[in-house]
């Protein structure tokens, strides 16, 4: 403004502050496709906005639509979610899930108490809260008996709702596409690992794998077979043998060849209907011994071992036996002399110097025919060996020395 100074007949100037006024505005920093956000439910989320105005708006309020109305959001925890409204209008949301989906609105009230129009903007939130659970009803893992019904449930959820379910057994895709895989009468062919795959427009997820084991025991036996240890050119080999023509001192194994089953069946051997047990020592160190695979190992064939042999396999499903197999061990010529306490000895398999490639399996045998049967002791560079030393193993009554994978540390005498 200006005025006349009467005393000096001139002009004077008065400075006046003019307050500029700008209505509140809301600016979204993030790109919004079709006015919606897609939120990953695994991470916290922030609505990035910028609120401006001159003077700066006195109040910023966020709302979430509940039914037909909007409810105000305050700082703090609501429905297990933590909300925090920043100074410039950002809304921080912790751990969004399916309940976080919906319409949100921000409203800004100007400083002058309503002389200028309020500003507001709304946006839809789609929560990518994709979860896939794998439940078993009533199946809860473990072993199932033949013929029972088993149901596997695949329970996915997400936003939007998952639109496909695919079932797999191992790498084989199954025809079932619903949330339940029903096995009405379980057979041994149903055993295996199962999982489902589900997804929607925003991704695909794989369920944990459930292993289905089926309890069973087949009934079919293959005939008992016999393999005998032989040596040719310093190489130990197991060759087929007949059970009715074995010689004293032979080293051989009887194989039950029992049926398949789960849990893995236990094998019990019988001689003349009496169960065979023991650790292969006995009075003379020549007793036949069942090994961990259910085979019957004879470290030394003796005429007293002749008789009728059979094997029985057993698990939780039942028990089955094969027929008798006749075993005959012929007496060596030295025992036919009728002379008491005759002591004879001859090499059946004699160890010899061997050159082998490193990290290869090696077998060395030391087998003597004598009466009475001998005991065995192995030494390595003058030191007595135990039955198990690292990768080395003594078996067949210490007649066989086996190296799983020989190395340079095993070179020596």
């Amino acid at each position: 403004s200006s005025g006349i100074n009467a005393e000096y007949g001139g002009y004077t100037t008065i400075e006046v502050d003019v307050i500029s006024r700008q209505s509140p505005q809301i600016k979204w920093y993030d790109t919004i496709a079709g006015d919606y956000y897609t939120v990953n439910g695994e991470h916290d989320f922030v609505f990035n906005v910028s609120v401006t105005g001159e003077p700066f708006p006195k109040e910023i309020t966020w709302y979430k639509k509940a039914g037909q109305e909007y409810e105000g959001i305050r700082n703090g925890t609501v429905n297990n979610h933590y909300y925090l409204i920043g100074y410039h209008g950002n809304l921080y949301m912790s751990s969004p899930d399916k309940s976080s989906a919906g319409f949100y609105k921000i409203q800004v009230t100007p400083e002058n108490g309503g002389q200028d129009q309020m500003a507001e903007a709304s946006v839809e939130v789609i929560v990518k809260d994709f979860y896939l659970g794998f439940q078993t009803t009533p199946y809860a893992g473990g072993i199932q008996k033949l013929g029972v019904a088993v149901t596997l449930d695949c329970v996915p959820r997400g936003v939007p709702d998952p639109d496909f379910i695919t079932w797999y057994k191992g790498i084989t895709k199954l025809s079932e596409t619903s949330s339940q895989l029903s096995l009405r009468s379980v057979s041994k062919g149903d055993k295996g690992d199962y999982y489902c795959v589900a997804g929607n427009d925003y991704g695909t997820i794989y369920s944990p794998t459930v292993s289905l084991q089926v309890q069973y025991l087949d009934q079919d036996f293959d005939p008992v077979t016999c393999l005998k240890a032989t040596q040719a050119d310093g190489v130990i080999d197991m060759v087929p043998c007949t059970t009715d023509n074995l010689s004293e001192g032979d080293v051989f194994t009887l194989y039950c060849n029992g049926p398949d089953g789960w849990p893995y069946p236990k094998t019990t051997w019988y001689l003349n209907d009496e169960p065979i047990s023991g650790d292969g020592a006995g009075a003379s160190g020549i007793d036949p011994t069942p090994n961990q695979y259910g085979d019957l190992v004879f470290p030394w064939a003796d005429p007293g071992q002749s008789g009728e042999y059979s094997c029985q396999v057993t698990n939780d499903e039942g028990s089955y036996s094969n027929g008798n197999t006749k075993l005959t061990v012929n007496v060596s010529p030295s025992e036919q002399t009728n002379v008491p306490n005759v002591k004879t000895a001859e090499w059946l398999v004699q160890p010899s110097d061997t050159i082998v490639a490193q990290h290869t399996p090696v077998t060395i045998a030391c087998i003597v025919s004598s009466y009475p049967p001998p005991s065995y002791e192995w030494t390595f560079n003058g030191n007595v060996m135990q039955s198990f030393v690292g990768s080395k193993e003594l078996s067949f009554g210490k007649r066989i020395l086996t190296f799983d994978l020989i190395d340079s540390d095993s070179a020596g005498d």
Side-chain angles (χ1 to χ4, degrees):
S1 61
S2 62
I4 300 175
N5 189 314
E7 181 179 355
Y8 297 103
Y11 292 90
T12 185
T13 300
I14 301 174
E15 293 183 358
V16 178
D17 290 333
V18 179
I19 299 176
S20 63
R21 186 176 301 280
Q22 179 183 358
S23 297
Q25 293 183 352
I26 301 170
K27 179 181 179 182
W28 298 99
Y29 274 127
D30 297 328
T31 300
I32 303 174
D35 294 327
Y36 66 84
Y37 278 104
T38 299
V39 179
N40 189 334
E42 298 178 353
H43 304 286
D44 296 341
F45 178 70
V46 178
F47 293 94
N48 281 316
V49 299
S50 175
V51 175
T52 59
E54 187 63 43
F56 192 81
K58 71 174 184 178
E59 186 175 357
I60 300 173
T61 308
W62 278 90
Y63 299 87
K64 183 178 185 299
K65 194 170 186 179
Q68 298 299 319
E69 303 294 330
Y70 280 92
E71 295 181 351
I73 297 175
R74 299 182 181 274
N75 291 339
T77 302
V78 180
N79 295 330
N80 297 321
H81 304 297
Y82 180 77
Y83 292 96
L84 178 64
I85 301 174
Y87 177 73
H88 289 284
N90 292 343
L91 176 63
Y92 167 82
M93 182 196 312
S94 68
S95 304
D97 60 17
K98 188 175 181 178
S99 66
S100 306
F103 289 90
Y104 289 78
K105 179 173 67 174
I106 180 174
Q107 188 177 76
V108 178
T109 303
E111 177 66 30
N112 59 15
Q115 295 182 24
D116 292 319
Q117 186 175 0
M118 289 185 177
E120 67 177 39
S122 61
V123 64
E124 182 183 7
V125 172
I126 299 175
V127 178
K128 184 186 174 184
D129 170 36
F130 195 82
Y131 167 78
L132 185 62
F134 195 82
Q135 300 176 2
T136 52
T137 308
Y139 175 65
I143 302 175
Q144 296 296 319
K145 291 188 175 183
L146 291 170
V148 302
V150 172
T151 300
L152 306 181
D153 289 338
C154 178
V155 186
R157 63 182 177 89
V159 179
D161 291 334
D163 52 18
F164 73 87
I165 295 176
T166 305
W167 283 93
Y168 288 86
K169 178 188 175 187
I171 61 173
T172 303
K173 182 179 179 180
L174 305 180
S175 59
E176 184 61 66
T177 57
S178 71
S179 62
Q180 286 191 331
L181 177 64
S182 297
L183 307 174
R184 301 185 183 279
S185 180
V186 168
S187 66
K188 69 177 184 179
D190 292 322
K191 67 177 181 178
D193 295 329
Y194 292 82
Y195 66 94
C196 64
V197 179
N200 58 16
D201 294 340
Y202 299 102
T204 300
I205 196 168
Y206 293 76
S207 78
T209 298
V210 168
S211 181
L212 174 64
Q213 298 290 345
V214 180
Q215 176 179 297
Y216 70 97
L217 180 62
D218 293 339
Q219 301 183 30
D220 298 330
F221 278 82
D222 290 330
V224 170
T225 54
C226 173
L227 291 180
K228 182 172 66 174
T230 63
Q231 182 185 43
D233 299 326
V235 178
I236 302 297
D237 197 9
M238 300 293 289
V239 299
C241 54
T242 57
T243 59
D244 59 352
N245 190 25
L246 291 162
S247 299
E248 181 186 3
D250 283 344
V251 177
F252 67 98
T253 300
L254 293 183
Y255 297 87
C256 180
N257 298 320
D260 186 28
W262 188 263
Y264 192 80
K266 177 184 177 181
T267 301
T268 303
W269 282 89
Y270 293 83
L271 170 58
N272 299 328
D273 297 326
E274 294 293 331
I276 298 173
S277 61
D279 59 3
S284 60
I286 63 173
D287 291 348
T289 306
N291 65 15
Q292 60 179 326
Y293 306 108
D295 312 320
L296 189 60
V297 179
F298 291 74
W300 178 274
D302 183 87
Q305 298 163 349
S306 298
E308 299 286 339
Y309 285 80
S310 64
C311 60
Q312 180 184 66
V313 294
T314 305
N315 69 4
D316 293 338
E317 184 66 19
S319 180
Y320 299 104
S321 300
N322 66 352
N324 288 335
T325 298
K326 185 176 181 179
L327 179 71
T328 302
V329 180
N330 298 314
V331 180
S332 65
S334 63
E335 291 189 61
Q336 300 174 2
T337 61
N338 296 324
V339 179
N341 300 322
V342 172
K343 296 185 178 181
T344 62
E346 65 173 310
W347 284 104
L348 296 180
V349 180
Q350 184 174 358
S352 59
D353 293 345
T354 304
I355 299 176
V356 296
Q358 187 167 239
H359 301 144
T360 58
V362 176
T363 300
I364 303 174
C366 175
I367 304 174
V368 173
S369 173
S370 73
Y371 186 82
S375 61
Y376 292 79
E377 181 178 84
W378 286 81
T379 63
F380 176 50
N381 292 334
N383 298 314
V384 176
M385 294 179 57
Q386 304 299 319
S387 294
F388 294 92
V389 181
S391 63
K392 298 180 281 292
E393 176 184 357
L394 293 173
S395 58
F396 288 97
K398 296 188 178 180
R399 292 161 174 80
I400 306 294
L401 173 61
T402 302
F403 299 82
D404 287 341
L405 293 175
I406 199 166
D407 55 29
S408 59
D409 292 338
S410 299
D413 295 327

